[in-house]
DNA sequence: TTCAATTCCTACGAATTTAGTGGGAAATGA
DNA sequence: TCATTTCCCACTAAATTCGTAGGAATTGAA
């Protein structure tokens, strides 16, 4: 029931981009240093996020990455799905007609309902939290600090 | 974000025991066949459940496993925790004073709040569903069938 | 034009976790 | 006595995770 480092680092990187949104592209190196993530590892994650259209990139000097949409329009669920695949406790939930003994009759499978409920509770949180939510929360904490 | 086969099979086995609760010990072989799980693999899972006190066992002929408590008093969360460890998206949530850069100040960590919310939504489902809930649901589905 | 900065791409590898298998000892009821 | 059944321990093959390494392509600025 864990989020791997792909998801964790990916969310951290995207959160970092959200905090600096609007001020041009940010170099991978900068994000990696701020978030204390291996540069070459993060590079792979950013490649996935770029291919999924969540960030845009600019090569060469003064290049870097930027959010492709405003923080308001990027959910944590999107990020996780790109980096970790479908948000589901069991693969059988992803198919209507599974192959396992318990997927033959999904409608009548009690355990499927259980896992579905778990899945729903997870996506409820992840799909309803945006980078903007996190940014505002960060601001609130910072103010409370003083 | 997946439940491994340990958790999946374990819940299935416990659900099986719940369906047959009250009629004496049930042999591992029987559960394994009904649930289509490898016998020796399931044996390891049952050992863990026994050591955790969720089932009792009886050796020898006519031996087998039984729920240690009534289905009403066994939650899915308990089963999962025994077989998969703490229900947490990130290990850092398990410690008050983590070691990572983002765990130095848990109270001020925005991302920690996010993962905590996810964790809460997961435990909300798993800790509030009992084997009895599943048993009743199974009964309802069976009736609706006719 | 040159050059440093930076993304892009591919391949490899070590460590860990997952999902089992196998063999035999101990206990129990008939 | 014996078939049944749990108990216990060691092993392993495959997949996944978490990276590292090296170099090609692009870009902006001096």
């Amino acid at each position: 029931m864990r989020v791997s480092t792909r998801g964790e680092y990916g969310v951290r990187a995207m959160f970092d981009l959200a905090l600096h949104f609007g001020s041009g592209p940010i170099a991978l190196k900068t994000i990696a240093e701020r978030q204390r993530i291996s540069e070459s590892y993060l590079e792979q994650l950013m490649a996935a996020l770029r291919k999924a259209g969540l960030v845009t990139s600019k090569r060469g000097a003064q290049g870097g990455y930027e959010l492709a949409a405003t923080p308001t329009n990027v959910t944590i669920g999107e990020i996780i799905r790109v980096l970790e695949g479908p948000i589901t406790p069991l693969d059988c939930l992803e198919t209507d007609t599974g192959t396992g003994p318990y997927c033959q009759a999904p409608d009548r499978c009690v355990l499927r309902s259980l896992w579905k409920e778990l899945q729903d509770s997870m996506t409820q949180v992840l799909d309803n939290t945006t980078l903007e939510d996190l940014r505002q929360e960060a601001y609130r904490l910072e103010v409370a600090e003083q």
Side-chain angles (χ1 to χ4, degrees), chain A:
Chain A
M1 308 291 278
R2 309 291 157 96
V3 171
S4 75
T5 56
R6 284 179 66 86
E8 186 198 350
Y9 294 175
V11 169
R12 290 219 320 244
M14 291 292 278
F15 176 54
D16 191 281
L17 288 181
L19 288 180
H20 300 88
F21 184 64
S23 47
I26 298 172
L28 183 76
K29 193 177 182 181
T30 308
I31 308 174
E33 274 169 6
R34 277 201 292 244
Q35 300 295 326
R36 301 185 210 182
I37 298 171
S38 146
E39 215 175 312
S40 29
Y41 187 39
L42 183 57
E43 192 185 303
Q44 290 177 42
L45 309 184
M46 295 310 291
L49 292 167
R50 177 175 51 79
K51 280 167 192 163
L54 267 64
V55 300
T56 57
S57 61
K58 195 175 184 184
R59 286 180 159 201
Q62 269 65 47
Y65 295 91
E66 265 183 302
L67 292 184
T70 64
T72 318
N73 290 314
V74 184
T75 69
I76 306 304
E78 290 178 86
I79 302 170
I80 298 285
R81 284 189 186 85
V82 167
L83 297 171
E84 310 221 339
I87 296 167
T88 183
L90 253 64
D91 281 332
C92 82
L93 291 179
E94 295 304 293
T95 57
D96 285 344
T97 59
T99 53
Y102 278 83
C103 289
Q104 302 291 359
D107 295 347
R108 285 173 283 155
C109 180
V110 176
L111 296 185
R112 189 186 168 96
S113 322
L114 166 68
W115 301 125
K116 186 77 173 67
E117 217 187 314
L118 178 60
Q119 181 183 40
D120 289 346
S121 79
M122 288 162 54
T123 56
Q124 166 67 26
V125 172
L126 297 174
D127 289 339
N128 289 299
T129 304
T130 66
L131 288 177
E132 176 64 12
D133 293 332
L134 298 185
R135 204 189 58 72
Q136 289 191 8
E137 172 72 7
Y139 178 69
R140 270 195 298 276
L141 288 176
E142 200 178 300
V143 168
E145 199 71 0
Q146 294 158 358

